[in-house]
Amino acid sequence: LAKTTQPISMDSYEGQEVNITCSHNNIATNDYITWYQQFPSQGPRFIIQGYKTKVTNEVASLFIPADRKSSTLSLPRVSLSDTAVYYCLVGGPDNYGQNFVFGPGTRLSVLP
Amino acid sequence: NAGVTQTPKFRILKIGQSMTLQCTQDMNHNYMYWYRQDPGMGLKLIYYSVGAGITDKGEVPNGYNVSRSTTEDFPLRLELAAPSQTSVYFCASSFRQGGMDEQYFGPGTRLTVT
């Protein structure tokens, strides 16, 4: 499984756009990139998934460059309720078991 | 749909006791997972299952056992509880293999071993 590296923490202010970048230098050809959000005392929640280029849904955008060695989760106009931990996960049909892990994630704090 | 449900929500065990954490999903997902999350850390995979009757170890399986007799249920058994097993346990399920598909997580079970 491709090892991922994310910033440990980020601060932002309400109304700003937040970009969280994840590095995954040894991503495999069949791997997808998935982002999850976790609030305190809750299980993670799926945000967005992509394979290449750009993916957008109602809550976020995911930008993936051509070499796929990194990806950027973009949260437009964050609010206080976006304060959470964000996890980048890279995996595909060849990844299972001991290689399937969530890293420490990025702790986003949105300030008023 | 209830999604993924877990019981109990909280539990305190004494060292050496055993217990079963229950997990049920009503989405007819083949893939199910058990994770543990220690304070301030990411999730670590304990066991997973690709369908009824098929289970395999994850990153941290020692001290745990699982079974998958039906598509809906995936209980996690703790034998001889130890303080190192104090953690929050999350069960999850997905339609396709977890690296390719959205995983749906339960609300978690907070376990303390003293």
Side-chain angles (χ1 to χ4, degrees):
Chain A
L1 185 72
K3 177 179 168 56
T4 60
T5 304
Q6 305 173 232
I8 294 298
S9 65
M10 295 180 68
D11 291 336
S12 181
Y13 291 94
E14 279 193 294
Q16 290 187 331
E17 179 185 72
V18 171
N19 295 310
I20 306 174
T21 297
C22 179
S23 297
H24 28 80
N25 290 322
N26 58 337
I27 187 169
T29 302
N30 295 333
D31 284 347
Y32 289 76
I33 301 156
T34 310
W35 286 81
Y36 287 84
Q37 175 192 56
Q38 186 179 28
F39 297 114
S41 302
Q42 294 186 23
R45 185 178 69 171
F46 173 90
I47 302 174
I48 197 166
Q49 184 181 68
Y51 183 79
K52 62 180 179 179
T53 63
K54 177 184 175 182
V55 179
T56 298
N57 62 21
E58 62 275 10
V59 298
S61 295
L62 178 59
F63 298 92
I64 305 169
D67 66 5
R68 301 197 334 120
K69 292 183 183 300
S70 66
S71 58
T72 299
L73 174 71
S74 181
L75 304 172
R77 299 180 298 280
V78 295
S79 65
L80 296 177
S81 62
D82 293 315
T83 293
V85 178
Y86 292 82
Y87 297 97
C88 167
L89 200 68
V90 173
D94 302 324
N95 303 129
Y96 261 118
Q98 298 185 25
N99 294 326
F100 198 62
V101 299
F102 284 72
T106 297
R107 188 173 299 274
L108 173 66
S109 297
V110 180
L111 308 173
Chain B
N1 286 349
V4 179
T5 57
Q6 294 182 236
T7 57
K9 286 185 170 53
F10 305 93
R11 183 72 185 268
I12 298 175
L13 281 182
K14 295 188 184 303
I15 294 172
Q17 288 184 323
S18 300
M19 76 165 293
T20 299
L21 282 67
Q22 301 293 344
C23 175
T24 300
Q25 54 92 9
D26 62 0
M27 297 172 281
N28 202 32
H29 287 166
N30 282 326
Y31 298 85
M32 295 189 73
Y33 316 84
W34 273 106
Y35 294 91
R36 60 174 288 172
Q37 185 173 36
D38 298 332
M41 306 296 286
L43 286 78
K44 294 186 177 180
L45 185 66
I46 306 172
Y47 270 96
Y48 66 95
S49 170
V50 302
I54 306 171
T55 64
D56 206 347
K57 298 177 181 177
E59 182 187 10
V60 290
N62 291 343
Y64 307 94
N65 278 300
V66 294
S67 59
R68 184 95 181 271
S69 57
T70 66
T71 299
E72 295 77 20
D73 301 308
F74 191 38
L76 177 71
R77 178 80 176 165
L78 277 72
E79 305 283 1
L80 300 175
S84 61
Q85 292 178 305
T86 293
S87 191
V88 180
Y89 291 84
F90 291 103
C91 178
S93 73
S94 64
F95 179 66
R96 295 182 299 172
Q97 190 268 20
M100 300 173 58
D101 206 0
E102 175 179 356
Q103 291 188 46
Y104 293 81
F105 284 81
T109 294
R110 187 175 298 274
L111 175 67
T112 302
V113 182
T114 62

